[in-house]
Every structure is written in C-alpha cells, then in structure tokens.
C-alpha cells in the first residue's frame, strides 16, 4: 500500500516551500478515492480525505500545518509523507481587454501557458493539456514546438487551482476550455482524470457542462469520449470543407479524414439542445472562398453543429494571412443564410499573445491585427463559454 504512494513523483520542494530528499506522495494528482486510501495508509480514518480535499481545492491551502480541522497527528504525518505540487507563476501579463496570460513553470522546469478570459459571459480559464503538441497544424504556433511531453492530471488541474486562487475566484463559478497548448485527446487519460478531479463535489464541483474540450479530430478517442460519464462540451477543429485542403493544413487528416471526423460527430451523443462547435480558422486564399462556405454547409448537413469562425491570429513563422473582414463577412453570411448557427471569434489578449494558436512559451511576440466585426453575425470572445 505504502509503496504505491511512494512511487508518486519525487519533489525536491514540498508544500509550503519545504525542501526534502524524501519521496513524497503528491496529493495534487489524487482523486478523492486515492486520497482516502492514502490517508488510511497513514493510519488515519478515510473521511479525513474529504477535509484535505476541501482545503486544497476549495480554499487553495496546500500547507498541511494550516489545515486546522485535522488532528496534529495527521498533519505531522502529511508533512512527513506528502506534498501538494503547484507550478510557479513565472510571468503574468494583463491585456488591455482584461485577458490575463499566465506562464507557469512545472517541477521539471518545462513551461506552459494558461489564460484567463473575463466575462465571456462567465469567467473562463483556457487550460493546456500538453507541453507543445504533436499534431503540427500549419497555422499554429504550439504545433511548431512539437510535443515536448504530456501534462499529468495534477498539472492540468493545477492550472485551474492556480488561476482561480490568483484571481480570487475559488468560490465563484467559471468555465474551462481545453484550448490551451496541446491536443487533449492525445493525452486522454490525464485529461479525463483532470475532469473527474475538477468535478469532485468536495472540491470545485465543476460540472462537465462548464467544460469545453477542443480536438483536432482524433476519431478513436472521440468515440471513447462518447462513452464517458463526465461528458464535456465538444469543439472540433475542422478548418476546411474538403479533404484536400484539410490535409494540407491539418496533418492528422491523413490518418483521420474529414469524413471520418464528421461521422464520429454524427454518432457523438449530445444532450438536448446541445451542438458540437466546429472551429474554422480562416486563412486568406486557402479556405475562405464563398465556394468553401457552400461546401462547408454540405459537409455539416445532418450534424447538430454551430460554427465558430476563427480569423487567423497571425504570427511570425506562420505562413498564412488573415482574410479581410469583408471576406469573413461573406463567408459567415453564406452559412447563416443556410440556417447554420455561426459566430466570428473576436480575438482577446492579442497584445499579450494570449490568443488561440499563440501559446508558445519560447516564441516571438506577434503583431496585433484588427479584430473582425461582421455586421449581422455575433462576435464571440476568443474562447467560447461552455
Ligand atoms: N488542439 C486542440 C485545442 C487547442 S487549439 C485543437 O486543435 O482543437 C484551440 C483552437 O485554436 C483550435 O481550434 C485551433 O485550430 C485554433 N488555432 C490554432 N492556431 C491558431 C491561429 N494561429 N489563429 C487562430 N486560431 C488558431
Ligand atoms: Fe495541436 Fe491544436 Fe495547434 Fe493543431 S491547432 S497543432 S492540434 S494545439
């Protein structure tokens, strides 16, 4: 029993800044059931795990000495045997529009980014699931990094704890979008574990309806997701209306074709009145013609869909341009006239490079471009609320 927990990662720095060379169990990556077993392994009653979970998740307290409703014996045992890992904030940029980008350093020195987008209409955290991304989409800066490594459930959820605490939102409701660095379905188990931990009622009790998972379309994992009890909202990065165009900009299309992705969407179980959000990055001269729009209408026939057009966030090293507002408007209008629910994403936090596809820690800053304003088509924030 004890060995199982002793095998958790070693941290040189324990909770509350303690330094130790002992192997400490990291409570930050434990679901409540694991924590109960761990507390029992320390010779204490399982129910104390709920108290500990509440301290960590609801109050943001990770120093065991401060967990005042625990017995001194349990506190001492925890100090001796456990830690609650938390990344450090190495940079925090605040955009003119209130968006905040956090650069976080993990225990091994790797860095990730998490973004806070206020009032969209709820408070929203955009969270990373990987360091970098293996998918290599041609317009995405994170894709240019390649995959450095997966994040653990502790590291995914720690972004939420850290942002909620830093922004004084621990007791408020907020939404989460898995649209930061990485492809969540390429790190499936850790992502699902993170959702269970966030949903835990002794903790943040975050309902899956408040979570949106955005995927490039990894079909077997979409099917697996369809069987999950905790089902987040689904966003699918489509970006094209033909196989040829999609394959040219989204390399995973060679393995999971657009039609395969659409078929997976058709069989994806949706609650009443729910729709799958199709994201479509608009690239001048590549996928933005009226003909593309008409093809997209056809592709989405029979799918409970809404479309979110993402005018490209241009950046050095990205070999595409953002179409003009007029082109975006024409495209959006064709979809809307055919009865599709369509919105154009208004880019947030562009001045601090916190916008989609601009999350790359080592990268260069990008020049801000104007946001799209399309008459008659709603503008939605950079990150849609669930
Ligand atoms: N890997 C997942 C989630 C992270 S990316 C996915 O691809 O869906 C979140 C969204 O940002 C995706 O729709 C992605 O295509 C989009 N995106 C990436 N780079 C972009 C850019 N330069 N401009 C606008 N949107 C971009
Ligand atoms: Fe990865 Fe998404 Fe970027 Fe594609 S758009 S490279 S899947 S993060």
């Amino acid at each position: 029993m004890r060995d199982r927990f002793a095998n958790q990662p070693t941290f040189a720095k324990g909770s509350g800044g303690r330094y130790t060379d002992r192997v400490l169990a990291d409570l930050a990556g434990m679901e409540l059931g694991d924590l109960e077993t761990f507390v029992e392994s320390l010779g204490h009653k399982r129910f104390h795990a709920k108290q500990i979970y509440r301290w960590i998740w609801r109050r943001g307290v990770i120093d065991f000495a401060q967990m005042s409703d625990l017995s001194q014996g349990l506190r001492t045992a925890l100090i001796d045997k456990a830690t609650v890992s938390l990344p450090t904030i190495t940079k925090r940029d605040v955009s003119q529009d209130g968006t905040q980008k956090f650069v976080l350093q993990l225990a091994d020195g790797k860095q990730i980014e998490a973004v806070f987008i206020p009032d969209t209409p709820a408070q929203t955290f955009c969270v990373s699931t990987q360091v970098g991304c293996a998918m290599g989409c041609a317009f995405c800066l994170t894709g240019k990094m390649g995959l450095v490594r997966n994040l653990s459930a502790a590291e995914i959820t720690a972004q939420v704890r850290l942002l909620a605490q830093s922004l004084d939102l621990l007791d408020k409701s907020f939404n989460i979008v898995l649209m930061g660095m990485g492809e969540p379905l390429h790190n499936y188990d850790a992502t699902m574990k993170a959702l269970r931990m966030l949903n835990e009622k002794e903790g943040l009790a975050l309902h899956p309806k408040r979570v949106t998972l955005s995927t490039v379309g990894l079909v077997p994992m979409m099917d697996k997701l369809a069987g999950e009890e905790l089902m987040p909202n689904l966003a699918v990065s489509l970006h094209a209306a033909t196989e040829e165009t999609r394959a040219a900009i989204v390399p995973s299309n060679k393995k999971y074709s657009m039609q395969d992705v659409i078929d997976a969407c058709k069989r994806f179980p949706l609650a009443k009145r729910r729709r799958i959000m199709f994201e479509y990055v608009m690239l001048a001269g590549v996928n933005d013609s009226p003909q593309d729009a008409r093809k997209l209408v056809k592709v989405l026939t029979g799918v409970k869909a809404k479309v979110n057009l993402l005018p490209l966030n241009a950046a050095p090293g990205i070999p595409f341009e953002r179409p003009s507002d007029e082109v975006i408007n024409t495209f959006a209008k064709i979809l809307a006239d055919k009865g599709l629910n369509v919105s154009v994403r208004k880019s947030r936090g562009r001045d601090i490079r916190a916008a989609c596809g601009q999350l790359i820690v080592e990268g260069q800053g990008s020049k801000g471009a104007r946001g799209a304003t399309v008459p008659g088509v709603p503008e939605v924030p950079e990150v849609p609320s669930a």
Side-chain angles (χ1 to χ4, degrees), residues 139-140 179-180 182-183 214-215 237 239 279 281 310 312-313 356-357:
F139 46 81
C140 174
M179 294 188 183
E183 165 52 44
S214 175
T215 178
S237 291
H239 304 321
E279 294 158 284
V281 65
L310 283 54
L312 175 76
N313 288 315
C356 277

Side-chain angles (χ1 to χ4, degrees), residues 133 135-137 139-140 142-143 180-183 216:
C133 181
M135 300 298 142
C137 301
F139 46 81
C140 174
T142 308
M181 299 168 81
E183 165 52 44
V216 72

Side-chain angles (χ1 to χ4, degrees), residues 102-104 106 110-113 130-131 151 159 181 361:
F102 292 75
V103 178
L104 308 177
L106 306 171
K110 299 275 182 296
Q111 302 207 77
I112 51 167
E113 297 182 352
Q130 298 180 311
V131 185
L151 296 184
Q159 298 167 66
M181 299 168 81
V361 174

